[in-house]
Amino acid sequence: MSTESREALGLDRLTRDGTELAAKLGVLALLLYWSYVLISPFLTIGTWSVVLCVALYPAYERMVRGLGGRRHLAAALLTVLCLIVIIGPATWLALDLVDSLRALASSADEWSIPSPPPRVKDWPVVGEPLYQFWDLASTNLREAFAKIAPQLKPVGGAMLGMATGAGVGVLKFFAAVIVAGFLFAPAPAFVAAAQKFVLRLASDRGERLLVLAASTIRTVSRGVIGIAFLQSLLAGIGFSMAGIPGASLLTSACLILAIVQIGPAPIIISSIVWAWSALDTTSALLFTAYMVPVNLMDNVLRPLVMARGLTTPMLVILIGVIGGTISYGITGLFLGPIVLAVIWELLMAWTSELDESFGEASPSGEPQ
């Protein structure tokens, strides 16, 4: 066989192998895409289930020991307990929010808006139309709302979509609690499978990173999410007992501020100021005596609950809260900071190990 024939045969074989490889990769990509489409509706539930199982597993083991080794009974009892703890506050918040909106709508006819000052007309561009609308609202608020109703429809649709997403998110979270209950008993088998998987990915540090991921989930869920939930719940009880308007909205604001590590102090201090201006002295004093410990409880509980200090920056937690809420609704409010905190801790551990390995590789002990 001549040289030209061998070269042509080799080129044909290379082309055939390349075409076959491209076809295999295409089929694999298509199968992966179809798999993602099929499981994407359950990703939030699955992620939440794993987070809850990891976070609550130490409590589950203690319950198993207390029940004499009956793992399935312990899983059922822990699931029911979690549902009771979650459904109660969630139902209270939802009903209180509905009552607040109903009271706001019923009092709309009693609102009084002062007449606009004449100097508003002199404002450039928007002065004249703003003055006319303001003047109409001061005399006939219902007609003023009817005038701007077409412009408010997109906003109303967006708010309705947010409310629907919040309701779906709550249902997904309840489903995740139930699914997590089924994960407690076979958890050791899942952990063994996860260890084999990470050892295949990174044999030298995979198991250590898996342990770090589990500890980070527990740290963030108990030291940040759990304390924030408890603190906001106690604050909401105080708001409702004091009769503060919009107690559910204030409770939600406390929850968000506590998760992002700012703390509910701005809301609680403002409510205390309101109490001293609107309530009698005894009621305001009792409200203050109750709310001050609630405001300070995170400073006491967080060092006791967290096994180690949270090294995740507040900016990462904040991005997780905002991004998670935008992407997954109300469940993302809790899930976002947990996932980002785990990724951050794993990334920091990985980079620190690289730095140590790089330093050890240098004979002089300094990076080269």
Side-chain angles (χ1 to χ4, degrees), residues 74-344:
L77 291 178
L78 186 58
T79 302
V80 172
L81 180 61
C82 290
L83 289 175
I84 293 174
V85 170
I86 294 169
I87 290 176
T91 305
W92 168 73
L93 280 175
L95 294 178
D96 190 69
L97 181 59
V98 171
D99 291 339
S100 299
L101 294 177
R102 185 183 296 115
L104 186 64
S106 62
S107 63
D109 293 333
E110 303 175 1
W111 295 349
S112 60
I113 298 177
S115 300
R119 64 176 180 273
V120 174
K121 290 183 178 181
D122 300 330
W123 292 0
V125 183
V126 298
E128 185 63 28
L130 178 60
Y131 179 86
Q132 294 179 1
F133 178 77
W134 192 343
D135 184 62
L136 177 63
S138 63
T139 56
N140 192 335
L141 184 60
R142 189 176 297 275
E143 184 178 348
F145 275 129
K147 188 175 182 180
I148 63 173
Q151 288 76 23
L152 294 179
K153 282 185 179 180
V155 178
M159 295 182 65
L160 181 61
M162 292 176 60
T164 304
V168 173
V170 171
L171 293 178
K172 285 184 177 181
F173 185 73
F174 290 158
V177 174
I178 297 174
V179 173
F182 289 97
L183 297 180
F184 287 124
F190 291 144
V191 171
Q195 289 175 342
K196 292 180 181 178
F197 178 74
V198 297
L199 287 176
R200 294 285 295 178
L201 293 178
S203 58
D204 54 344
R205 65 177 70 92
E207 188 171 357
R208 186 162 60 253
L209 294 179
L210 183 64
V211 173
L212 176 61
S215 64
T216 303
I217 289 176
R218 295 192 181 107
T219 299
V220 178
S221 59
R222 292 184 299 187
V224 177
I225 306 299
I227 293 177
F229 183 80
L230 176 62
Q231 191 175 25
S232 60
L233 176 62
L234 295 177
I237 294 174
F239 295 150
S240 296
M241 296 298 293
I244 297 180
S248 59
L249 297 178
L250 295 178
T251 304
S252 301
C254 289
L255 178 61
I256 295 174
L257 291 177
I259 291 177
V260 300
Q261 304 296 286
I262 296 176
I267 306 297
I268 292 179
I269 292 175
S270 300
S271 66
I272 292 175
V273 172
W274 175 90
W276 283 98
S277 63
L279 303 178
D280 59 86
T281 303
T282 303
S283 299
L285 184 61
L286 292 175
F287 179 74
T288 303
Y290 173 80
M291 296 303 292
V292 169
V294 171
N295 185 46
L296 299 176
M297 65 178 298
D298 58 333
N299 298 321
V300 177
L301 290 180
R302 187 170 291 121
L304 298 177
V305 173
M306 296 172 64
R308 59 181 180 86
L310 182 66
T311 60
T312 307
M314 187 179 70
L315 179 61
V316 175
I317 300 294
L318 180 60
I319 293 174
V321 169
I322 297 175
T325 304
I326 293 174
S327 302
Y328 299 104
I330 192 171
T331 57
L333 175 67
F334 306 95
L335 193 59
I338 293 176
V339 173
L340 274 192
V342 171
I343 295 174
W344 175 268

Side-chain angles (χ1 to χ4, degrees), residues 1 34 40 42 44 124 176 191 213 230 268 271 278 315 327 329 345 349 364:
M1 183 181 295
W34 278 348
S40 58
F42 306 99
T44 304
V191 171
L230 176 62
I268 292 179
S271 66
L315 179 61
S327 302
E345 293 291 340
S364 60

